[in-house]
Amino acid sequence: MTKEIKVLETCFGGKKIILIAGPCAVESKQEFDADVKDLKKVDCFRGGAYKGRTSPHSFLGLEEEGLQILKEASIKYKKPVVSEITSETQINNFIEMVDIIQVGARNMQNFELLKALGKTNKPILLKRGFANTVDELLNAAEYISKEGNDNIILCERGIRTFENTTRFTLDIGAVAVLKTKSNYPIIVDPSHAAGDSKYVEPLALAAIAAGADGIMIEVHSNPAKALSDKEQALTIKEYNNLIEKIEKIANSIGRTI
Amino acid sequence: MTKEIKVLETCFGGKKIILIAGPCAVESKQEFDADVKDLKKVDCFRGGAYKGRTSPHSFLGLEEEGLQILKEASIKYKKPVVSEITSETQINNFIEMVDIIQVGARNMQNFELLKALGKTNKPILLKRGFANTVDELLNAAEYISKEGNDNIILCERGIRTFENTTRFTLDIGAVAVLKTKSNYPIIVDPSHAAGDSKYVEPLALAAIAAGADGIMIEVHSNPAKALSDKEQALTIKEYNNLIEKIEKIANSIGRTI
Amino acid sequence: MTKEIKVLETCFGGKKIILIAGPCAVESKQEFDADVKDLKKVDCFRGGAYKGRTSPHSFLGLEEEGLQILKEASIKYKKPVVSEITSETQINNFIEMVDIIQVGARNMQNFELLKALGKTNKPILLKRGFANTVDELLNAAEYISKEGNDNIILCERGIRTFENTTRFTLDIGAVAVLKTKSNYPIIVDPSHAAGDSKYVEPLALAAIAAGADGIMIEVHSNPAKALSDKEQALTIKEYNNLIEKIEKIANSIGRTI
Amino acid sequence: MTKEIKVLETCFGGKKIILIAGPCAVESKQEFDADVKDLKKVDCFRGGAYKGRTSPHSFLGLEEEGLQILKEASIKYKKPVVSEITSETQINNFIEMVDIIQVGARNMQNFELLKALGKTNKPILLKRGFANTVDELLNAAEYISKEGNDNIILCERGIRTFENTTRFTLDIGAVAVLKTKSNYPIIVDPSHAAGDSKYVEPLALAAIAAGADGIMIEVHSNPAKALSDKEQALTIKEYNNLIEKIEKIANSIGRTI
């Protein structure tokens, strides 16, 4: 039985499949608004304020200003927002500004961060590290829950393999394995796994069919102009088309969106 | 546009999703019959006669007797049979006895075998090697087609990664990538990827949602007694339950079984 | 030309190969002393005070008390000590207590930590993440150097692959690649790669032959009683035997220990 | 205790480290002669006659003519030759023309070929598949030995991982593991692992230090003109320089060349 985690009006882990969408990075207030205002049936917004990028010369995010934009969007649209934390020193800010705190793949075994988040009561979206096993993901979750916070949502986002026609290899089996080994809600991020917008749809549909409780999709009002991950962002129209297909698959397995 | 490949009354690559099922190995005439006679909506039977097993001390198959049992089943049930070839020296026998010749993962780059099969006009089910890239799979197909035979069906069956809660990691993205890079029908083998019967269903459903043209499932009348791969075989009842779910997903994306 | 990094009397990156040894974790003052006092030709001591372990139920280290024991050992033996930092919040303590700050594999892309360390002038031993590419390791180093600190020592310690007779697969080629792509000293940790004391020697010798500037070895006065990583720790006697062999290899390629 | 395998005057598995060298493919009699005539201290020649290449449009070898050239070189230089077999149907030819039959990485689990080779008494050089475990390699060897032929030499040549600055990741630990799990001689092929001539030397030296009984190196009189694998071939001069360094390492561990 999957644990239900409620965030504002959104409930993770129920019959309803949760749709999270938004840009890779919060680029400006205007851009964020353009990215999210026309998304159909979206339940929750995503947007990065502190961007952990491979190279320090890449765009590293708006930081506190980005959190402020997310906070305003949450109030304006009455939907929860999720954003990635990259240091324990940011925790107070995140508690105040976002509804769900994301631990990114690169920090899945940043144990001091996990312990610190365990002492809050914020919902945590814990992404699997791209070279971590399912068991290590569950151990990471235990670092959080052991401190008292079991508002945890797990996220499969692709693992690193020798195959490189996709950016990562979505481990669709992990959804099934996690369902037997834990009772946390499981969501899937097809955007980072694909690394290419044209593969996001089949991965998203597969995730729903495999039993995921939600998906997290990168969108942008104009992907070619996105400051990060432009290859994998869907346009608003592509997203809305995808949601129609997701709804049909969801209904075919007795779920809703 | 996917190429259609017709084998007896079965057409791979059309709107209809093709269901292949049968035991890992042909164990006896009676057992094969028990394995397949009650499978609902099955289009094609599978069964190994020459078993390439990691250890030479494992059950290695009935060889020619196995092919004979498959031939009789094909006639009795009026359905095509597929079986794995493991050497060029078996080609004449396979041409006579089976409807589709499978090249297994371990022989995907057995180029002499591929060239020899390219000189026949038999449909070939070419499985991806568990450490081969999508591009290498397409190059292997070209070894066959270059000789004149392009009756090729590609099969994703999981790749080898560091994760070991499943036997292999099903590369669900490869289905999507292959659809953009080739026009051969693509099927998925969730049984070998999962290596555990309880994960076969979610992988099978994901495969259909991702756009696969068919699936190949291992079943056994009594998995605990199977001579090979007993952990991953579905019972007949489990298979029939799965097919109902597959039908619903297929219908939701405009396909049939 | 390899950059030379001097720490007390020890110089990384010169003709002399640097030998780092010590227990996985600092367990007590007495135990640490027993672990290191008889190590031949050792240049630097290692010992974990903050242990990032997969499970929160494992021994997690003595924390500040561990750092204090290292500090005293550094003074007593007049040799530098290296220990792993796991959070930016520990930086002031580490600056005071240790001579070289290690960033562990799991924190190689903890970019906030890297940036904070870049603002110090302490030597940093940066371990490659077990699923990070050589290029990502160099990018991580750039996060440190961009802030002004280029006292960086890189460490190859094995990557995660499908092979599991060793704990990780030592990427011996990475030593060669790093030598062509950067001028930082490169050391190798054969202990974590092997995960088994009987494979530490061949990996250590291979590292020296491939051009590494140093090695870091886990030792324990009584491995069977070690609180962490007991399988991979060498006894003091095994270590001393290994050093004799390392010296011969080093001399054969024109280096010393 | 390593089993000794004698081929003509060459003994694998003894104190002497065996040096195998030659071009990737036999291109012509003149070219082969130019490739091998000035190699110092070489014990055995290699050269491909049947080339299993990823794409059927690549140069696929001189086939029987290639074997003839190898046969003549063996007679002329009084040294054994090794070449890769790619089909059971070639066995009689190989028995007549070469001294050691190589099973390539892609055929390591071509079990029919292994069984057929087990029925000969020719020395077999069995290369590890690039995605096969050490245990699978030993099982493959058992397919040969079970039929009566235990003149087997194992070869580590790199495995497929996410890292791509080298063509494959040389699993140097496998040399050590194989030494504890079997008594067959172990050689290493640094050329295919590196995929780049500038990394061949460090990998070769590491292999000797780790305990390999021999190495197999690709050379060419003019690598830029090689018909296959030109990036990884050493010039004759580079090879001869390498051999001097190998000799020093070998001597430092009590072995000779």
Side-chain angles (χ1 to χ4, degrees):
Chain A
M1 188 64 188
T2 303
K3 174 181 166 67
E4 296 194 351
I5 295 177
K6 295 207 174 67
V7 193
L8 304 184
E9 302 297 307
T10 296
C11 175
F12 287 83
K15 185 181 167 192
K16 185 178 186 307
I17 285 164
I18 301 303
L19 305 173
I20 307 174
C24 175
V26 178
E27 300 177 3
S28 71
K29 186 171 172 177
Q30 290 67 25
E31 180 55 44
F32 191 80
D33 216 56
D35 293 340
V36 305
K37 70 185 165 56
D38 296 321
L39 298 173
K40 285 190 192 154
K41 303 203 175 183
V42 67
D43 296 297
C44 177
F45 298 141
R46 64 149 287 148
Y50 294 83
K51 298 302 300 175
R53 305 291 298 283
T54 299
S55 164
H57 305 292
S58 304
F59 172 62
L60 300 179
L62 297 184
E63 307 195 342
E64 283 194 43
E65 185 191 341
L67 294 182
Q68 186 64 43
I69 292 169
L70 289 168
K71 174 80 172 169
E72 291 169 20
S74 173
I75 292 166
K76 175 174 175 185
Y77 293 100
K78 298 188 177 58
K79 292 187 194 296
V81 294
V82 57
S83 195
E84 180 177 345
I85 193 168
T86 59
S87 167
E88 305 156 65
T89 63
Q90 301 154 357
I91 285 185
N92 287 342
N93 258 355
F94 270 72
I95 288 175
E96 191 182 337
M97 308 296 259
V98 307
D99 304 290
I100 303 171
I101 301 177
Q102 176 179 316
V103 176
R106 291 180 182 84
N107 281 301
M108 191 202 90
Q109 292 193 316
N110 180 340
F111 300 118
E112 301 300 327
L113 176 60
L114 300 179
K115 285 189 276 187
L117 291 170
K119 289 171 184 136
T120 75
N121 61 3
K122 274 278 174 178
I124 308 298
L125 193 164
L126 178 62
K127 292 187 104 173
R128 179 184 182 184
F130 53 69
N132 288 111
T133 63
V134 163
D135 287 333
E136 287 170 341
L137 173 58
L138 294 174
N139 272 295
E142 203 167 342
Y143 265 93
I144 300 169
S145 64
K146 187 165 176 286
E147 303 294 329
N149 182 2
D150 66 352
N151 293 310
I152 300 170
I153 301 156
L154 303 176
C155 181
E156 159 62 28
R157 45 77 77 212
I159 59 174
R160 187 162 269 181
T161 71
F162 62 83
E163 176 59 55
N164 55 22
T165 48
T166 45
R167 188 174 176 191
F168 294 93
T169 299
L170 185 70
D171 183 4
I172 195 73
V175 176
V177 175
L178 286 166
K179 281 287 173 191
T180 69
K181 293 199 167 197
S182 94
N183 69 349
Y184 294 120
I186 318 293
I187 69 166
V188 166
D189 172 352
S191 301
H192 281 85
D196 184 329
S197 60
K198 71 174 170 292
Y199 301 135
V200 171
E201 176 176 307
L203 295 187
L205 299 181
I208 303 306
D213 298 303
I215 55 171
M216 179 155 68
I217 307 266
E218 287 190 355
V219 298
H220 197 279
S221 70
N222 185 352
K225 295 281 179 69
L227 297 181
S228 58
D229 284 354
K230 62 176 70 170
E231 298 80 3
Q232 71 202 35
L234 297 189
T235 63
I236 311 309
K237 188 176 169 189
E238 287 168 340
Y239 173 85
N240 287 337
N241 286 341
L242 169 59
I243 295 314
E244 285 184 32
K245 296 186 183 181
I246 284 178
E247 184 159 29
K248 286 179 185 164
I249 298 254
N251 291 345
S252 80
I253 57 170
R255 300 187 79 165
T256 59
I257 64 167
Chain B
M1 189 64 188
T2 303
K3 174 181 165 66
E4 297 194 351
I5 295 177
K6 295 208 173 67
V7 193
L8 304 184
E9 302 297 308
T10 296
C11 175
F12 288 82
K15 185 181 167 191
K16 183 178 187 307
I17 284 165
I18 301 304
L19 306 173
I20 306 173
C24 176
V26 179
E27 300 177 3
S28 72
K29 188 172 171 174
Q30 290 68 25
E31 181 56 44
F32 191 81
D33 215 58
D35 294 340
V36 305
K37 70 185 164 57
D38 295 322
L39 298 174
K40 286 190 191 154
K41 303 200 176 184
V42 67
D43 296 297
C44 178
F45 298 142
R46 63 149 288 148
Y50 295 83
K51 298 301 301 174
R53 305 291 298 284
T54 299
S55 165
H57 304 292
S58 302
F59 172 61
L60 300 178
L62 298 184
E63 307 195 344
E64 284 193 42
E65 185 190 342
L67 293 183
Q68 186 63 44
I69 292 168
L70 289 169
K71 175 80 172 168
E72 291 169 19
S74 173
I75 292 167
K76 176 174 175 185
Y77 294 100
K78 298 188 178 58
K79 292 186 194 298
V81 295
V82 57
S83 196
E84 180 178 345
I85 194 168
T86 59
S87 167
E88 306 154 64
T89 63
Q90 302 154 356
I91 285 186
N92 287 341
N93 257 353
F94 269 73
I95 288 176
E96 192 183 336
M97 307 298 258
V98 307
D99 304 289
I100 303 171
I101 301 177
Q102 176 179 316
V103 176
R106 292 180 182 83
N107 281 301
M108 192 202 88
Q109 292 193 316
N110 180 340
F111 300 118
E112 299 301 328
L113 177 60
L114 299 179
K115 285 189 274 187
L117 291 169
K119 289 171 184 138
T120 75
N121 61 2
K122 275 278 172 176
I124 308 298
L125 194 165
L126 178 62
K127 292 187 103 173
R128 179 183 182 185
F130 53 69
N132 287 111
T133 62
V134 163
D135 287 333
E136 287 170 341
L137 173 59
L138 294 174
N139 272 295
E142 202 167 342
Y143 265 94
I144 300 169
S145 65
K146 187 165 175 285
E147 303 294 330
N149 182 1
D150 66 351
N151 293 309
I152 300 170
I153 300 156
L154 303 175
C155 180
E156 160 63 28
R157 46 76 77 211
I159 60 174
R160 188 162 269 180
T161 71
F162 62 83
E163 176 59 55
N164 56 23
T165 49
T166 45
R167 188 173 175 191
F168 293 93
T169 299
L170 184 70
D171 183 4
I172 196 73
V175 176
V177 176
L178 286 166
K179 281 287 173 191
T180 69
K181 291 200 168 199
S182 94
N183 68 350
Y184 295 120
I186 318 293
I187 69 167
V188 167
D189 171 353
S191 301
H192 281 85
D196 183 330
S197 60
K198 71 176 170 290
Y199 300 135
V200 171
E201 177 176 307
L203 295 187
L205 300 181
I208 303 305
D213 298 302
I215 55 170
M216 180 156 67
I217 307 265
E218 287 191 355
V219 298
H220 197 279
S221 71
N222 185 352
K225 295 280 178 70
L227 297 182
S228 57
D229 283 355
K230 62 176 69 170
E231 297 81 3
Q232 71 202 36
L234 297 190
T235 62
I236 311 308
K237 188 176 170 190
E238 287 168 340
Y239 173 85
N240 287 337
N241 286 341
L242 170 59
I243 295 313
E244 286 185 29
K245 296 185 183 182
I246 284 177
E247 184 159 29
K248 286 178 185 165
I249 298 254
N251 291 345
S252 80
I253 58 170
R255 300 186 80 164
T256 59
I257 65 167
Chain C
M1 191 62 189
T2 303
K3 175 182 167 66
E4 298 194 349
I5 295 176
K6 296 208 172 67
V7 194
L8 305 183
E9 302 298 308
T10 296
C11 175
F12 287 83
K15 186 182 166 192
K16 183 177 187 310
I17 284 165
I18 301 305
L19 306 173
I20 307 173
C24 175
V26 179
E27 300 177 2
S28 71
K29 187 173 171 175
Q30 290 67 25
E31 180 55 44
F32 191 81
D33 215 56
D35 294 341
V36 305
K37 70 185 164 54
D38 296 322
L39 298 174
K40 285 191 192 151
K41 304 203 175 185
V42 67
D43 297 297
C44 177
F45 298 142
R46 63 149 288 147
Y50 294 82
K51 299 301 301 174
R53 306 289 300 282
T54 301
S55 163
H57 304 293
S58 304
F59 173 61
L60 300 179
L62 298 183
E63 306 193 344
E64 283 194 42
E65 184 191 341
L67 294 182
Q68 186 63 46
I69 292 168
L70 290 169
K71 174 79 172 169
E72 291 169 18
S74 172
I75 292 167
K76 175 175 175 184
Y77 294 99
K78 298 187 177 57
K79 293 186 194 296
V81 295
V82 57
S83 195
E84 180 177 344
I85 194 168
T86 59
S87 167
E88 306 155 62
T89 63
Q90 302 154 356
I91 285 185
N92 288 341
N93 258 353
F94 270 72
I95 288 176
E96 191 182 339
M97 308 297 259
V98 307
D99 305 290
I100 302 171
I101 301 176
Q102 175 179 316
V103 176
R106 292 181 181 82
N107 280 301
M108 192 202 88
Q109 292 193 314
N110 180 340
F111 300 116
E112 300 301 327
L113 176 60
L114 300 178
K115 285 188 275 186
L117 291 169
K119 288 171 185 137
T120 75
N121 61 1
K122 275 277 173 179
I124 308 298
L125 194 165
L126 178 62
K127 293 187 103 172
R128 179 184 183 185
F130 52 70
N132 287 111
T133 63
V134 163
D135 288 334
E136 287 171 342
L137 173 58
L138 294 174
N139 271 295
E142 202 167 344
Y143 266 94
I144 300 169
S145 64
K146 187 166 177 285
E147 303 293 330
N149 181 2
D150 65 352
N151 294 309
I152 299 170
I153 301 156
L154 302 176
C155 180
E156 161 61 29
R157 45 77 76 210
I159 59 174
R160 189 162 267 181
T161 71
F162 61 83
E163 177 59 55
N164 55 23
T165 49
T166 45
R167 188 174 176 191
F168 294 93
T169 299
L170 185 69
D171 183 3
I172 194 73
V175 176
V177 176
L178 286 166
K179 282 285 172 192
T180 69
K181 292 198 167 200
S182 94
N183 68 349
Y184 295 120
I186 318 293
I187 69 167
V188 167
D189 171 352
S191 302
H192 281 86
D196 184 330
S197 60
K198 73 175 169 291
Y199 301 135
V200 170
E201 176 177 307
L203 295 187
L205 299 181
I208 303 305
D213 297 303
I215 54 170
M216 180 157 65
I217 306 267
E218 286 191 356
V219 298
H220 197 280
S221 70
N222 185 352
K225 296 280 179 68
L227 298 180
S228 56
D229 284 354
K230 63 176 70 170
E231 297 81 1
Q232 71 201 34
L234 297 189
T235 62
I236 309 309
K237 188 175 169 191
E238 287 168 339
Y239 173 84
N240 287 337
N241 286 342
L242 170 59
I243 295 313
E244 286 183 32
K245 296 186 184 182
I246 284 177
E247 185 160 28
K248 286 179 186 164
I249 298 254
N251 292 344
S252 80
I253 58 171
R255 301 186 78 163
T256 59
I257 65 168
Chain D
M1 189 63 189
T2 303
K3 175 182 167 64
E4 296 195 351
I5 296 176
K6 295 208 173 68
V7 194
L8 304 184
E9 303 297 307
T10 296
C11 175
F12 287 84
K15 185 182 167 193
K16 183 178 187 308
I17 285 165
I18 300 305
L19 306 173
I20 307 173
C24 175
V26 179
E27 300 178 2
S28 72
K29 187 173 170 174
Q30 290 68 25
E31 180 56 41
F32 191 80
D33 214 56
D35 294 340
V36 304
K37 70 184 164 57
D38 296 322
L39 297 174
K40 285 192 192 150
K41 304 203 175 183
V42 67
D43 297 297
C44 177
F45 297 141
R46 63 149 289 147
Y50 294 83
K51 299 300 301 173
R53 306 290 298 283
T54 299
S55 163
H57 304 293
S58 304
F59 172 61
L60 300 178
L62 297 184
E63 306 195 343
E64 283 193 40
E65 186 191 340
L67 293 183
Q68 186 62 46
I69 292 168
L70 289 169
K71 174 80 172 167
E72 290 169 20
S74 173
I75 292 167
K76 176 174 176 184
Y77 293 99
K78 298 188 178 57
K79 292 186 193 298
V81 294
V82 56
S83 195
E84 180 178 345
I85 194 168
T86 59
S87 167
E88 306 155 64
T89 63
Q90 301 155 357
I91 284 186
N92 288 341
N93 257 353
F94 270 72
I95 287 176
E96 191 182 337
M97 308 296 260
V98 307
D99 304 290
I100 302 171
I101 302 177
Q102 176 180 317
V103 177
R106 292 181 182 83
N107 281 301
M108 192 201 88
Q109 292 193 314
N110 181 341
F111 299 117
E112 300 301 328
L113 176 61
L114 299 178
K115 285 188 275 187
L117 291 169
K119 289 173 185 136
T120 76
N121 60 3
K122 275 276 174 181
I124 308 298
L125 195 165
L126 178 63
K127 292 186 103 172
R128 178 183 183 185
F130 52 70
N132 287 111
T133 63
V134 164
D135 288 333
E136 287 170 343
L137 174 59
L138 294 174
N139 272 295
E142 202 167 343
Y143 265 94
I144 299 169
S145 64
K146 187 165 177 285
E147 302 294 330
N149 182 1
D150 65 353
N151 294 308
I152 300 170
I153 301 155
L154 302 176
C155 181
E156 161 62 27
R157 45 78 75 211
I159 59 175
R160 189 162 267 182
T161 71
F162 62 82
E163 177 59 55
N164 55 23
T165 49
T166 45
R167 188 173 176 192
F168 294 93
T169 299
L170 185 70
D171 183 4
I172 196 73
V175 176
V177 175
L178 286 166
K179 281 285 172 194
T180 69
K181 292 199 168 198
S182 94
N183 68 350
Y184 294 120
I186 317 294
I187 68 166
V188 167
D189 171 353
S191 301
H192 281 87
D196 184 330
S197 59
K198 72 174 169 290
Y199 301 135
V200 171
E201 176 177 307
L203 295 187
L205 299 180
I208 303 305
D213 298 302
I215 54 169
M216 181 158 65
I217 306 266
E218 287 191 355
V219 298
H220 197 279
S221 71
N222 185 352
K225 295 280 178 68
L227 297 180
S228 56
D229 284 354
K230 62 176 71 169
E231 296 81 0
Q232 70 202 35
L234 298 190
T235 63
I236 311 308
K237 189 177 169 189
E238 286 168 339
Y239 173 84
N240 288 337
N241 286 341
L242 169 59
I243 295 313
E244 286 184 32
K245 295 186 184 182
I246 285 177
E247 185 159 28
K248 286 178 186 164
I249 299 254
N251 292 344
S252 80
I253 58 171
R255 300 186 79 163
T256 58
I257 64 167

